[in-house]
Every structure is written in structure tokens, then in C-alpha cells.
Amino acid sequence: MALAQLKTYTEEDYYNLPEDVRAELIDGQIYYMAAPSRIHQEILMFLSKNIANYIDSKDGPCKIYPSPFAVKPFEDDNKTIVEPDISVICNPGKLTDRGCSGAPDWIMEIVSPSTASHDYIYKLNLYAKAGVREYWVVDPIEKSIYVYFLEKDRFKAKSYTFQDKIKANIYQDLWINFAELSL
């Protein structure tokens, strides 16, 4: 007896989803995402505000995009489009009308129970392979932050808590003080 075949979806299928549907396309499979929690959104706003204020104060070329924002980590791959919680792109040539084509410089994911394995395992490897320079995984339940910084072709990792002040490795002088996050 033959095994059932999974349908392989493409970029075209992803962009034909209804606008109110949150999903990611990973290796040709569509993964639907639930609406984020209030805590998730508070962390998202705290981080976005800190990073945006820093970029504005330096008059830098980088742009910050919170989710929903489509990121196609590999330009020539039409079977993977993710929606990181926060994407920082410093090369304006990667920006398209649909989002980002190529690896962002910095990605942050805020873990929810339904996405934990994707964020900690699959996306970590995907982002390293794509060449994302820095990847943060923020876990509201554990009150932890894992910072991964790309050196050569692999990530170096450090762990922090919500009481720490953390340096963004892609910048000389950006520090985010998680102790200021009032949840």
C-alpha cells in the first residue's frame, strides 16, 4: 500500500492565503499561527520601540519590521517564507513590496507554547544557514533570552534573563535592558 503524499506548497500558495490568516511556509509546508497573547505583544512593542529609537538616533540605514512581515530567507527558494516577530534589515536592496528577500541582519522570535520547537530548533538552523547575523529567542514563560550571533557559518550562543541588560551584537552601542520591561 502506498503512503499518502503531503502536498508541497509554494510562494504562490502562501500569497494566495486570505489576508486574515497568519501562517508561515517552511520547506513547502504551511504552518498556521494563532493570534499572539497580550504578553507577547507587550514584549514585541518594548523591543521594537527600543530598536527603532536607537536606529532613529543614529540616523542609520537599518529598518525594523514587526510581524506580520514576510521574510524569504533564501532569494531562490519559493518554498520557505517566515514571519519573524521582529526583523531588522540593514541592506535596503533586500526589501521588496512583499517584505524581505534574503536574510535579515537580526531576527527576534517571541516564543509561544505552540511555536517553541520551531523557534528553538528549526528556525535556529534555518537562520544560521541563511546567514542571519543575529537571532534572539525571547521566552516569556521562562523569562529568558537566548542570543545567537553568527560567527563564520555557525551561531555562538549566550543566555540571559529578564533582569539582564543585553548588547545587540550587530551594533556598537545598543543595549536593551529587560529589567525595564514591566509585565
Side-chain angles (χ1 to χ4, degrees), residues 63-66 69 71 84-89 104 106-108:
K63 301 280 186 187
I64 180 171
Y65 296 94
F69 182 75
V71 171
D85 289 311
I86 296 175
S87 301
V88 176
I89 296 105
W106 186 10
I107 288 178
M108 295 179 153

Side-chain angles (χ1 to χ4, degrees), residues 15 57 68 79 169:
Y15 284 114
S57 75
K79 293 183 181 135
N169 292 289

Side-chain angles (χ1 to χ4, degrees), residues 61-156:
C62 301
K63 301 280 186 187
I64 180 171
Y65 296 94
S67 181
F69 182 75
V71 171
K72 189 175 172 182
F74 305 98
E75 293 178 54
D76 58 348
D77 178 3
N78 74 342
K79 293 183 181 135
T80 300
I81 299 173
V82 292
E83 289 191 11
D85 289 311
I86 296 175
S87 301
V88 176
I89 296 105
C90 298
N91 177 349
K94 291 182 179 182
L95 296 172
T96 70
D97 287 343
R98 288 189 156 170
C100 178
S101 184
D105 294 270
W106 186 10
I107 288 178
M108 295 179 153
E109 295 283 7
I110 302 163
V111 174
S112 65
S114 64
T115 66
S117 64
H118 264 106
D119 295 338
Y120 281 114
I121 299 167
Y122 185 80
K123 286 185 178 177
L124 173 70
N125 292 311
L126 173 72
Y127 295 153
K129 186 177 173 187
V132 173
R133 292 171 44 206
E134 188 159 357
Y135 175 45
W136 289 22
V137 180
V138 180
D139 190 329
I141 295 169
E142 298 295 323
K143 293 192 178 352
S144 64
I145 304 99
Y146 289 92
V147 173
Y148 301 91
F149 184 71
L150 195 62
E151 286 191 8
K152 295 186 182 175
D153 61 345
R154 64 174 40 155
F155 278 128
K156 298 271 184 169

